[in-house]
Amino acid sequence: MRSLRLQTLLGTLLLTGCREEMSILRPGGPAAEKLAELTWIVLITFSVVTVAMWALIVWVGTRRRGSFEEHAPPDIGGGQNWILWGGFLIPAAVLAVIFVIGLQSMSTFPMKDGEIAAPEIAITGHQWWWEVKYVAGPPPLHVTTANEIHIPTGRYVDIQVTTADVIHSFWIPGLHGKTDLIPGRENRIRLRAEKPGIYRGQCAEFCGANHAKMILVLVAQPPDEYDAWLDHQREPAVPPVTTEAIRGKRLFVEGPCALCHTIRGTDARGGVGPDLTHLASRDRIASNYLENNRANLSAWVTHAQSLKPEVAMPNLTMFEGEELRALVTYLEQLE
Ligand code: CUA
């Protein structure tokens, strides 16, 4: 138990250590700026109210109480003004002002109904990972990846979100507020990142055992870099060259992996789990829960159920020794 907690703590430190922090107060685009503005206004207003309340409480607690003779008789009336102002008028005014500012923020949010004809990216939530389809242009140019979203900087990117199972919520605090992924519905988000960088996000709606491990990473890159990345993703997987990798590919395609995963350019065409065509180009695996390296890939193949209990990926303990090494070698060269 303690080692598990320590692991979680270390994981959190590692994640926050090498990634852009998940802060709504450090906006990277217009939608997040609106929200940050509103957050500051609310934060400062309520801090002022809190300080005033504590000052009153301290004053009540420490003031000289006086004797019965010094006080007016209790039935003389008066004092209701405190209740009228402090309990009704001031709170109503504060809440009304914040409500109006909130409405204003909503109306200037960089997205209006019916503004989007066709989204560029279509995201589908799964328990517990993100399917990401790039759907700009004619269908032959469409491509599917997972968990790591890339967008170009300096322009708006329209995204459509939905879910394949339960309700999830798409949330990248540095760029946008939360948007729910609802069964049978398509919601829209308009993202814009001004500067290149990595933005961390998180599923923000409880969706089962691994909700906390349904992590998102968004990579904002200059337009030419983004185009190159997208072109590369459209290509089929690189064929293996070494004997070990060739063996790994055979194990993948002829074994249970191909029932659930697709690797374009091979006979593996499963549609249950993430597309692995360019797995090695992604920084992390298991919906960004684990770093993408040999040790984690091996552990994921053989013990996914220990790393993410109840995940659709079974423990493939039939792979061990040389076979496991070959399989992982193949996965590692899927650049
Ligand atoms: Cu998906 Cu929480």
Side-chain angles (χ1 to χ4, degrees):
M1 190 65 199
R2 184 193 290 165
S3 78
L4 186 73
R5 222 177 297 150
L6 190 69
Q7 241 178 27
T8 322
L9 183 71
L10 279 177
T12 316
L13 284 177
L14 282 176
L15 283 173
T16 45
C18 60
R19 300 239 161 243
E20 190 86 18
E21 65 191 80
M22 293 213 327
S23 172
I24 49 169
L25 295 176
R26 283 187 38 194
E33 260 162 39
K34 291 273 161 227
L35 293 173
E37 255 170 49
L38 189 61
T39 307
W40 277 118
I41 292 171
V42 171
L43 214 61
I44 290 168
T45 311
F46 284 113
S47 300
V48 169
V49 171
T50 306
V51 168
M53 289 312 293
W54 276 106
L56 282 171
I57 290 169
V58 170
W59 174 68
V60 165
T62 57
R63 81 195 174 114
R64 202 181 72 83
R65 284 179 176 76
S67 62
F68 273 119
E69 292 75 47
E70 286 169 317
H71 278 283
D75 56 356
I76 203 169
Q80 282 95 334
N81 273 352
W82 270 99
I83 296 169
L84 179 67
W85 282 93
F88 181 69
L89 292 179
I90 295 177
V94 169
L95 291 175
V97 166
I98 285 174
F99 179 64
V100 169
I101 296 173
L103 286 182
Q104 233 167 21
S105 294
M106 270 163 74
S107 71
T108 53
F109 218 64
M111 168 121 146
K112 307 263 184 310
D113 258 352
E115 228 173 41
I116 301 175
E120 255 177 87
I121 302 174
I123 293 174
T124 307
H126 294 263
Q127 282 173 313
W128 291 274
W129 60 283
W130 309 86
E131 183 182 347
V132 190
K133 276 190 189 146
Y134 291 79
V135 292
L141 290 178
H142 295 187
V143 68
T144 304
T145 80
N147 301 321
E148 195 182 281
I149 302 164
H150 287 238
I151 64 167
T153 52
R155 71 171 173 87
Y156 284 108
V157 177
D158 290 330
I159 297 176
Q160 171 191 299
V161 296
T162 189
T163 172
D165 37 54
V166 298
I167 300 178
H168 304 272
S169 183
F170 181 94
W171 189 37
I172 299 177
L175 293 179
H176 205 282
K178 298 169 185 170
T179 307
D180 278 1
L181 281 59
I182 297 166
R185 236 191 101 97
E186 284 160 357
N187 279 337
R188 300 288 174 87
I189 313 168
R190 173 164 278 192
L191 285 189
R192 177 181 172 128
E194 301 300 350
K195 278 182 287 181
I198 293 168
Y199 297 84
R200 221 176 82 90
Q202 170 70 47
C203 178
E205 177 74 42
F206 181 71
C207 54
N210 289 291
H211 157 69
K213 295 173 186 168
M214 193 167 163
I215 301 161
L216 260 168
V217 167
L218 184 140
V219 183
Q221 41 195 177
D224 49 336
E225 247 177 62
Y226 169 76
D227 290 340
W229 174 86
L230 190 56
D231 279 344
H232 178 68
Q233 294 292 317
R234 284 176 180 139
E235 279 164 27
V238 276
V241 185
T242 63
T243 329
E244 197 183 32
I246 292 170
R247 183 178 179 197
K249 179 186 171 182
R250 208 180 53 237
L251 288 165
F252 189 101
V253 173
E254 292 169 7
C257 312
L259 297 174
C260 293
H261 293 282
T262 290
I263 295 182
R264 276 176 280 123
T266 74
D267 289 333
R269 294 204 187 101
V272 179
D275 184 298
L276 302 181
T277 308
H278 297 286
L279 175 67
S281 75
R282 303 202 277 267
D283 245 13
R284 300 186 147 254
I285 59 166
S287 199
N288 299 302
Y289 172 53
L290 299 167
E291 222 171 284
N292 189 356
N293 59 36
R294 243 185 126 69
N296 285 339
L297 281 169
S298 310
W300 184 251
V301 169
T302 54
H303 291 90
Q305 290 299 320
S306 316
L307 294 161
K308 267 186 157 182
E310 294 177 36
V311 74
M313 172 94 180
N315 285 346
L316 300 175
T317 41
M318 70 280 268
F319 293 116
E320 51 183 25
E322 274 178 26
E323 285 199 337
L324 181 60
R325 276 197 292 278
L327 187 64
V328 171
T329 301
Y330 173 58
L331 294 175
E332 275 197 310
Q333 52 94 68
L334 294 172
E335 281 292 343

